[in-house]
Amino acid sequence: MSTFLMVVLAIASIVLIASVLLQSGNSDGLSGSIAGGAEQLFGKKKSKGYEAILEKVTAVAAVLFILISLVLVAIE
């Protein structure tokens, strides 16, 4: 059982790392934080497309990673 969970944990961690690395950044440094404040509040809603899929994959992989880690600690 624990071997299976460790394999699933390794897969979840690889998926989590890949999904985080594939996402684009939120700001363009200091100029993005000064000039892009209103754009974050009112514009560029990313409800569809590639970014939304990556956000969902990241959230699912993170939850799986945490839950499987807790289960592995509890059974050993």
Side-chain angles (χ1 to χ4, degrees):
M1 177 73 175
S2 89
T3 305
F4 173 73
L5 287 175
M6 286 185 195
V7 170
V8 174
L9 181 66
I11 293 170
S13 63
I14 290 170
V15 169
L16 182 61
I17 291 168
S19 65
V20 167
L21 288 175
L22 287 173
Q23 289 181 8
S24 62
N26 285 342
S27 67
D28 299 328
L30 185 60
S31 65
S33 66
I34 295 171
E39 186 174 296
Q40 288 179 353
L41 290 175
F42 302 113
K44 280 195 174 179
K45 188 131 182 161
K46 297 177 185 174
S47 62
K48 295 182 181 179
Y50 181 70
E51 292 290 325
I53 293 171
L54 277 177
E55 287 178 12
K56 290 176 186 175
V57 168
T58 303
V60 169
V63 168
L64 276 175
F65 181 83
I66 292 170
L67 289 178
I68 295 171
S69 298
L70 291 174
V71 169
L72 278 171
V73 168
I75 64 173
E76 289 191 13

